[in-house]
Amino acid sequence: MDRLVKADVKEVELEFVKGQKSSTTFTLTNLMHTMSVAVSLSTKNQSFFSFNKSFSIIPPLSSSSYTLLSQPSDQPPLTNPPDAVTVKTTMVPLGKANHDDLRRRFSKPGPHIFKDATLPISFLGPHVIEHLISSNTQGSDTEILLNKAISGCSGNQLTVLLESAAVSGKANLVHRLIDHGGDVNHKDSNGRSLISLAVEAGNLDVLNLLISSGCEIDNSVDHVFHYAAATNRVDLMEALFRVYRNTDSIDSVDFCGRTPIHISAIHGCTQVIRFCLSVGASPDALDINKSTPLHLAAKGGHLDTVECLLEASNYSKYALNKQGKTAFALAVENDRPNVYDSLQLGDALSRAARIGDVNGIKSCIGEGANVNGKDQNGWTPLHRAAFKGKVESVRVLLGYGAEVNDVDENGYTPLHCAVEAGHVEVALLLIGQGAKANLKSLKGMSMGVGLKSDCSKNRGCYRSSIVEAV
């Protein structure tokens, strides 16, 4: 004989509700024609599960119902393999036995005890899926548990769960929920698509899955390129651009009139800016405050971003925002000295040195300008001051640590510049501060030791290779 009783189910399905007791009922039928059968029910997790009757007697060819109960919990006790109801039986010739007699009989193993059934316990309902979304359960275990849990959910519940799964980054859960009826075009409470949620959470796999499943976006609400820009995710930008390349999304604006490049500039996301520029985005776009991306990068002190934007635009360096401020002015206002030179302070220092504005020199250096910063020709402020014969400028610059023997792209030192322009006093001051009179430029120019008498002959003699900057 294989068994004494038969269950009406192959597994016990229990709808799990967070924080509440759950219960389900199943039936056992006595297969014996003339003999009563005693039944014992048990589970591994006896602290969580219980039965309305652990021991009972079923008359011949009769049936009895049993209720499995679970204790309140914040999460289902998911195990692999899952817990199960173990059904043990034994024949009762007299058809009667009290509870204690049955306990003693089932406590003694032997041929009189039959193990008639093992009924796995499955948990159903949205709270189980919520747990799977928030937990680290992965792979085939998740698939098995998810398939059971989904059967206890309505279409609306699956759609709500799909929103959470899209944010979680678990593409397998997203796929299963869509397959079972979750609405891929569901909108969150702010009217945003699931694609927006996936991009904002930085989930590339989920993004690609949603795109392939037909999820649609609304450009007036779904600022997906902006979300990707804020996290410097070029991979997300590329995936979006492949689908929406025929729209104006790459230069679309949010509620503040900001493009994705503006957002990248705020966060210092230089890689995304380079991508946007490569596909035609404008570096000179203005937001509602008439701020360019450079204004925002300067305000945040993002040096790499500032330099990237300066390479892309000749205009934005001088653009004024709604308050009439340049990017440089915002950098000063927000105490971002690391970007001063790149923006304008180096220019201001060179100009002050060139015109002999000693107070301007001190102010620029005090604000963070590099006293040895070079322009596009390799000239430092000291080169400028020496070439123009501004003795006090030279003296102040040297006092702030200007390198007296620094050379430009053609090998010229400040002393070369002073000699070529015929500024004897400046030349002598430089020599007195360590300038080497016997240095040669890359073009072979040299100065002899008789500099004091020779300089007067060179006054006004300008080499064509040295061009005064405006």
Side-chain angles (χ1 to χ4, degrees):
M1 180 177 293
D2 294 329
R3 54 185 176 176
L4 302 181
V5 299
K6 179 181 179 180
D8 66 337
V9 295
K10 293 184 178 180
E11 61 182 323
V12 179
E13 295 180 339
L14 191 65
E15 183 171 358
F16 174 80
V17 180
K18 188 184 299 184
Q20 297 182 20
K21 289 184 177 182
S22 301
S23 65
T24 188
T25 300
F26 59 95
T27 299
L28 298 176
T29 299
N30 183 354
L31 300 177
M32 302 294 292
H33 290 264
T34 60
M35 189 76 67
S36 295
V37 173
V39 175
S40 168
L41 303 177
S42 64
T43 62
K44 293 178 182 178
N45 191 349
Q46 297 184 34
S47 63
F48 187 81
F49 296 111
S50 61
F51 299 92
N52 63 330
K53 45 188 178 183
S54 298
F55 301 101
S56 65
I57 296 177
I58 307 176
L61 298 178
S62 297
S63 298
S64 181
S65 294
Y66 300 86
T67 300
L68 174 67
L69 304 114
S70 69
Q71 297 300 313
S73 175
D74 289 335
Q75 62 184 47
L78 303 176
T79 58
N80 184 30
D83 205 339
V85 175
T86 300
V87 180
K88 293 182 179 180
T89 59
T90 186
M91 290 181 284
V92 184
L94 299 178
K96 293 182 179 181
N98 62 39
H99 189 275
D100 290 337
D101 287 339
L102 293 177
R103 183 185 297 277
R104 283 193 294 270
R105 182 174 296 191
F106 282 107
S107 66
K108 298 177 181 179
H112 63 290
I113 301 296
F114 297 85
K115 186 176 180 180
D116 273 20
T118 300
L119 308 175
I121 300 173
S122 299
F123 293 95
L124 313 179
H127 290 185
V128 180
I129 301 178
E130 284 181 5
H131 172 71
L132 294 175
I133 291 172
S134 62
S135 70
N136 293 322
T137 307
Q138 296 180 355
S140 59
D141 294 344
T142 301
E143 288 294 319
I144 294 171
L145 296 170
L146 183 62
N147 288 339
K148 294 298 180 183
I150 283 177
S151 65
C153 298
S154 67
N156 287 337
Q157 289 173 329
L158 291 176
T159 297
V160 172
L161 292 165
L162 181 57
E163 180 179 326
S164 298
V167 174
S168 76
K170 295 185 176 179
N172 62 319
L173 291 180
V174 172
H175 185 266
R176 300 297 291 168
L177 291 169
I178 293 174
D179 279 351
H180 282 81
D183 183 5
V184 73
N185 282 310
H186 166 72
K187 307 294 184 182
D188 72 358
S189 58
N190 295 314
R192 299 183 303 167
S193 69
L194 296 179
I195 284 183
S196 279
L197 303 183
V199 173
E200 193 170 30
N203 299 319
L204 179 61
D205 289 342
V206 174
L207 169 61
N208 287 327
L209 177 58
L210 291 171
I211 290 174
S212 65
S213 299
C215 184
E216 300 174 352
I217 66 170
D218 179 352
N219 283 329
S220 67
V221 179
D222 294 307
H223 303 298
V224 290
F225 285 91
H226 294 72
Y227 302 146
T231 54
N232 207 24
R233 291 291 298 275
V234 176
D235 55 344
L236 296 176
M237 298 288 284
E238 290 173 339
L240 291 167
F241 191 70
R242 281 195 296 270
V243 181
Y244 306 114
R245 66 167 65 242
N246 294 324
T247 72
D248 295 327
S249 297
I250 202 68
D251 260 338
S252 63
V253 297
D254 62 12
F255 301 112
C256 295
R258 291 172 176 169
T259 66
I261 290 189
H262 279 100
I263 302 302
S264 300
I266 291 172
H267 297 281
C269 300
T270 308
Q271 290 179 325
V272 165
I273 291 178
R274 293 192 186 283
F275 171 79
C276 291
L277 293 172
S278 73
V279 295
S282 171
D284 297 324
L286 302 179
D287 65 11
I288 59 175
N289 294 315
K290 294 186 176 180
S291 294
T292 65
L294 185 62
H295 280 102
L296 304 179
K299 182 177 180 180
H302 304 300
L303 179 58
D304 288 345
T305 304
V306 165
E307 292 179 343
C308 173
L309 291 167
L310 287 172
E311 291 174 6
S313 172
N314 294 321
Y315 156 77
S316 57
K317 182 176 181 179
Y318 308 102
L320 302 178
N321 65 8
K322 203 170 186 178
Q323 288 73 43
K325 296 178 180 179
T326 62
F328 172 71
L330 288 180
V332 173
E333 185 177 286
N334 290 274
D335 193 24
R336 306 296 188 184
N338 62 313
V339 300
Y340 290 173
D341 269 354
S342 295
L343 288 168
Q344 187 175 348
L345 197 54
D347 295 349
L349 177 57
S350 289
R351 180 179 182 278
R354 187 173 72 244
I355 66 176
D357 181 2
V358 172
N359 290 330
I361 292 173
K362 294 178 178 178
S363 176
C364 288
I365 295 176
E367 289 176 355
N370 181 1
V371 71
N372 290 308
K374 295 186 177 184
D375 64 13
Q376 68 272 19
N377 297 313
W379 276 29
T380 66
L382 188 59
H383 281 88
R384 291 287 176 196
F387 188 70
K388 282 295 186 178
K390 305 299 181 181
V391 177
E392 289 306 313
S393 291
V394 169
R395 186 173 285 114
V396 170
L397 289 168
L398 291 170
Y400 277 102
E403 174 55 54
V404 72
N405 287 310
D406 212 342
V407 295
D408 68 4
E409 292 180 353
N410 293 311
Y412 283 86
T413 67
L415 181 56
H416 283 108
C417 295
V419 170
E420 279 211 341
H423 301 302
V424 178
E425 188 177 358
V426 171
L428 293 175
L429 174 58
L430 291 170
I431 291 174
Q433 294 295 318
K436 297 178 180 179
N438 61 346
L439 280 178
K440 291 184 178 181
S441 76
L442 297 181
K443 292 187 177 181
M445 176 185 176
S446 63
M447 289 145 307
V449 293
L451 183 66
K452 183 173 183 180
S453 60
D454 292 340
C455 281
S456 59
K457 300 177 183 178
N458 294 325
R459 187 177 306 276
C461 178
Y462 294 82
R463 293 182 67 91
S464 59
S465 60
I466 300 180
V467 180
E468 174 65 3
V470 177

